[in-house]
Amino acid sequence: MGLPRDPAAFAIRPAVRDDIPAIAALHVASWRESYAGLIDQRLIDERTVEARRAQWSAILDGPQRRTLVAHDRSALFGFASALILATPCDGYDSYLQLLYLSATAKGRGIGGALLRAIAASLLDEGCRSMVLRVLRRNPARAFYERFGARLAPDGLTIDAGLFDDVIYAFPDLHAIAQRSPSPTHSRSPA
Ligand SMILES: CC(C)(COP(=O)(O)OP(=O)(O)OC[C@H]1O[C@@H](n2cnc3c(N)ncnc32)[C@H](O)[C@@H]1OP(=O)(O)O)[C@@H](O)C(=O)NCCC(=O)NCCS
């Protein structure tokens, strides 16, 4: 997939049902690429595109869910999906469940743009803070730390016990939403 280097050449919008096939395909591809060697390969293999399509069909329109996609005119190359927690967990009132990019989209500021956009969307919903899980050995930990995430105690019940992961918290969503993209990006595109 050819991708613009210029961040201005992509846009972010709420996901719609027509996006489900592309989101499901990207979800599967990103798991295969990002998690091989980090989790049991069987868990990756059993998450097929068909299974992901069914999962997304069931969850996309949930009243507590907010999902954004990054795209250009021809392709979708990333998504972020969060839950508004009706009952705050340890005082945190939203949960970033999923954030994935296609391989060629990494390192261009798109993940950061999605994170800022989902934070802004959650603020609009009245949320103030956010938690998330990351695999203990996932290099993406450095990405969240870059945005000010701090390790949090393991009190989160959502998605608990599935993987060897750690929990990060953002006590104030404004801090994410207001973080400016670096003028000179510190990493090269993947
Ligand atoms: C993690 C992910 C979303 C980051 O998206 P990205 O578009 O590559 O990140 P960006 O280019 O927006 O980077 C934003 C900042 O984070 C830093 N960063 C991003 N990934 C990093 C990494 N692996 N190690 C160190 N720093 C990283 C960048 O240097 C940049 O810092 P700067 O703004 O100070 O220059 C993307 O790499 C991805 O999809 N990874 C695979 C799936 C995954 O693990 N998702 C998280 C599941 S919890």
Side-chain angles (χ1 to χ4, degrees):
M1 189 186 319
L3 266 178
R5 274 177 179 267
D6 175 8
F10 68 88
I12 293 177
R13 60 164 170 78
V16 295
R17 294 198 76 79
D18 282 353
D19 294 321
I20 287 175
I23 292 174
L26 200 159
H27 200 165
V28 169
S30 188
W31 262 59
R32 287 187 180 150
E33 177 205 302
S34 309
Y35 293 166
L38 293 186
I39 63 174
D40 187 337
Q41 188 63 35
R42 270 183 314 126
L43 299 173
I44 298 173
D45 293 341
E46 68 193 24
R47 283 155 169 83
T48 61
V49 173
E50 293 69 31
R52 287 299 192 194
R53 278 192 192 206
Q55 180 191 13
W56 278 102
S57 291
I59 66 175
L60 187 70
D61 298 332
Q64 304 304 112
R65 182 171 294 275
R66 297 294 175 272
T67 303
L68 302 177
V69 293
H71 65 99
D72 66 7
R73 279 193 206 141
S74 57
L76 186 153
F77 39 79
F79 63 87
S81 188
L83 288 169
I84 298 165
L85 302 179
T87 307
C89 174
D90 284 345
Y92 295 99
D93 56 18
S94 72
Y95 173 57
L96 180 65
Q97 189 170 39
L98 304 156
L99 174 57
Y100 292 102
L101 303 186
S102 63
T104 51
K106 289 182 189 173
R108 298 167 193 260
I110 299 169
L114 274 168
L115 188 62
R116 277 192 297 278
I118 202 95
S121 162
L122 292 165
L123 281 164
D124 283 348
E125 299 292 339
C127 297
R128 307 172 77 87
S129 57
M130 185 167 79
V131 279
L132 58 98
R133 292 182 179 278
V134 194
L135 293 177
R136 191 177 302 278
R137 292 165 55 216
N138 189 344
R141 286 177 63 168
F143 165 77
Y144 293 115
E145 287 167 3
R146 205 87 172 170
F147 280 79
R150 295 284 172 265
L151 279 172
D154 192 356
L156 185 69
T157 53
I158 308 175
D159 295 339
L162 299 177
F163 303 107
D164 180 18
D165 54 22
V166 294
I167 296 168
Y168 278 105
F170 291 98
D172 181 5
L173 284 167
H174 289 99
I176 308 173
Q178 290 165 4
R179 184 187 190 265
S180 307
S182 304
T184 51
H185 208 55
S186 59
R187 285 173 76 230
S188 306

